[in-house]
Amino acid sequence: MPQALSTDVLIIGGGVAGLWLNARLRRQGFATLLVENASLGGGQTLKSQGIIHGGTKYALHGALSGSAEAIADMPRRWREALAGSGELDLSGVRLLSDAHYLWSPGTLTGNLASFFASKAMRTRVDQVKDDQLPPALQSPAFKGKVYRLNELVLDVPSLVARLAELAGDGLLAGSRIAALRDGEELVGLRVDDYEIRAQRIVLSAGAGNEALLAELGLRQPAQQRRPLHMVLVKGPSLKPLYAHCLGGGPKPRITVTSHPAADGQWVWYLGGDIAEADGVARDQTAQIAAARRELETLLPWIDLAEARFATLRVDRAEPAQSGLVRPDNAFLAEHGRLLVGWPTKLALAPDFADRVLASLERADLRPAARPPLPALPRPPLARPVWEELLP
């Protein structure tokens, strides 16, 4: 017989959106249960670069966009959480870099001049030189300019581990999910051998939302996937670098973040324009060749002789937009007890939680007295992608 469980909020999906929401709800006294069918953070979350954007990269055309305004307050909220004084206590999460950088390999011309001259940008950007440069750019051969952004870069595996701690006993490893109805009304979900009733059910499973909605007989909200073809580089000569390299267009030419591997070496994780349209069209061999050419052009003093390369295809799952454009904000749709959403970016996880909490407040839902959960099978933490691809 299925085991009956009850909770205030049932969350499906153990990426950063579900885990952050789970921790926020628990801190406010709600009973929660989060279900993950594979590993915590193993979808989009651990494939992200860990950058907590403040919107600057969305303003490279010289003006603040909707995306830039929507995400502007996220670094402050994350910094407060990392200090233990914010909406969550994330003290102990490893901060890889207290700033992200804009890096120009040559002179700034055209629309970038208006970008740096704009009043909005002067409060977000400071030029750095000499020993303030990122370690990988501290070379006599470097002739470009570097600007420090009011952003930060997190070690995402340690973030996932901390959010899993904050989940307490409220995590469940479960693979088979089906609707639990009372007549026509959705009242919960069947997860493997459990029947779980909840006041609200939140689907925050990223790309998995599509199949979950189909299982529940819903076609809306529709989902889109925007693909990336990321590149990983590991080698003994690599030094930390967290920067967007400007190319004169509306997107960074290349975005580099650096991640510590278990063997003590650094792994560079490359996104930006190289990972988008042209990169998606390339096969692995061609993408690695393109990445090597870019690094040799932009950072010729870095010795790549012993470097190893790998690529990773990532689908960014988001609410469907006309023309596959990137949504500006986190997204949430309501269908009775069912809430469906995507944070759209790692940095916007707090915004996603805000939207769920606002929905609960509008419905005047409050924590209910519930029996403690029994011991449940717990999903494992995902391994970092660089440990899988470049051990």
Side-chain angles (χ1 to χ4, degrees), residues 131-205:
D131 61 354
Q132 295 180 328
L133 293 171
L137 301 181
Q138 291 183 14
S139 166
F142 177 66
K143 304 301 182 184
K145 297 180 180 180
V146 178
Y147 299 82
R148 178 188 172 97
L149 306 180
N150 181 27
E151 302 181 347
L152 57 156
V153 187
L154 302 181
D155 179 58
V156 180
S158 71
L159 169 64
V160 171
R162 175 58 180 156
L163 291 173
E165 287 179 10
L166 295 177
D169 62 353
L171 296 175
L172 171 62
S175 56
R176 302 185 308 277
I177 296 176
L180 180 62
R181 301 186 186 275
D182 187 352
E184 295 297 314
E185 182 184 5
L186 181 70
V187 295
L189 296 175
R190 291 187 176 89
V191 179
D192 294 343
D193 296 326
Y194 300 93
E195 289 190 349
I196 309 169
R197 292 177 175 261
Q199 294 188 75
R200 287 294 183 272
I201 303 157
V202 181
L203 302 188
S204 62

Side-chain angles (χ1 to χ4, degrees), residues 5-9 30-32 197-199 366-373:
L5 302 175
S6 67
T7 191
D8 294 326
V9 182
F30 287 95
T32 66
R197 292 177 175 261
Q199 294 188 75
R366 304 182 185 279
R370 298 184 185 277
L373 292 168

Side-chain angles (χ1 to χ4, degrees), residues 293-315:
R293 285 194 302 271
E294 277 285 71
L295 294 177
E296 289 173 346
T297 299
L298 297 170
L299 302 160
W301 57 88
I302 301 294
D303 182 4
L304 298 177
E306 297 182 52
R308 292 187 292 139
F309 286 72
T311 69
L312 176 68
R313 292 191 180 272
V314 181
D315 277 332

Side-chain angles (χ1 to χ4, degrees), residues 93-332:
V93 172
R94 182 175 183 176
L95 183 64
L96 293 176
S97 180
D98 190 52
H100 201 63
Y101 295 84
L102 283 172
W103 147 43
S104 169
T107 58
L108 297 174
T109 58
N111 57 9
L112 291 179
S114 62
F115 165 74
F116 285 106
S118 71
K119 181 179 178 181
M121 287 300 102
R122 285 199 299 271
T123 64
R124 304 179 185 211
V125 178
D126 296 303
Q127 187 172 359
V128 297
K129 299 179 180 179
D130 303 325
D131 61 354
Q132 295 180 328
L133 293 171
L137 301 181
Q138 291 183 14
S139 166
F142 177 66
K143 304 301 182 184
K145 297 180 180 180
V146 178
Y147 299 82
R148 178 188 172 97
L149 306 180
N150 181 27
E151 302 181 347
L152 57 156
V153 187
L154 302 181
D155 179 58
V156 180
S158 71
L159 169 64
V160 171
R162 175 58 180 156
L163 291 173
E165 287 179 10
L166 295 177
D169 62 353
L171 296 175
L172 171 62
S175 56
R176 302 185 308 277
I177 296 176
L180 180 62
R181 301 186 186 275
D182 187 352
E184 295 297 314
E185 182 184 5
L186 181 70
V187 295
L189 296 175
R190 291 187 176 89
V191 179
D192 294 343
D193 296 326
Y194 300 93
E195 289 190 349
I196 309 169
R197 292 177 175 261
Q199 294 188 75
R200 287 294 183 272
I201 303 157
V202 181
L203 302 188
S204 62
N209 279 354
E210 195 169 44
L212 290 166
L213 287 167
E215 174 65 33
L216 298 175
L218 296 172
R219 295 186 177 181
Q220 296 294 329
Q223 176 178 287
Q224 69 182 26
R225 301 187 187 210
R226 290 190 302 119
L228 293 170
H229 196 181
M230 306 289 286
V231 180
L232 298 94
V233 190
K234 182 178 182 180
S237 65
L238 301 187
K239 297 179 180 180
L241 179 60
Y242 304 92
H244 303 300
C245 179
L246 301 174
K251 295 180 180 180
R253 177 172 173 177
I254 192 169
T255 295
V256 184
T257 54
S258 307
H259 306 268
D263 61 5
Q265 295 189 46
W266 286 97
V267 176
W268 282 2
Y269 196 26
L270 311 182
D273 201 40
I274 193 173
E276 301 208 15
D278 290 342
V280 170
R282 298 184 190 109
D283 63 18
Q284 182 183 48
T285 300
Q287 180 70 336
I288 288 173
R292 182 181 284 274
R293 285 194 302 271
E294 277 285 71
L295 294 177
E296 289 173 346
T297 299
L298 297 170
L299 302 160
W301 57 88
I302 301 294
D303 182 4
L304 298 177
E306 297 182 52
R308 292 187 292 139
F309 286 72
T311 69
L312 176 68
R313 292 191 180 272
V314 181
D315 277 332
R316 294 166 290 181
E318 302 161 343
Q321 309 285 300
S322 176
L324 283 180
V325 298
R326 179 190 62 248
D328 286 343
N329 304 289
F331 173 88
L332 188 73

Side-chain angles (χ1 to χ4, degrees), residues 338-368:
L338 183 69
L339 308 179
V340 185
W342 295 266
T344 73
K345 292 195 75 64
L346 174 86
L348 286 167
D351 183 39
F352 178 74
D354 288 347
R355 292 166 190 270
V356 174
L357 287 163
S359 175
L360 300 185
E361 186 174 348
R362 286 193 300 271
D364 197 28
L365 290 181
R366 304 182 185 279

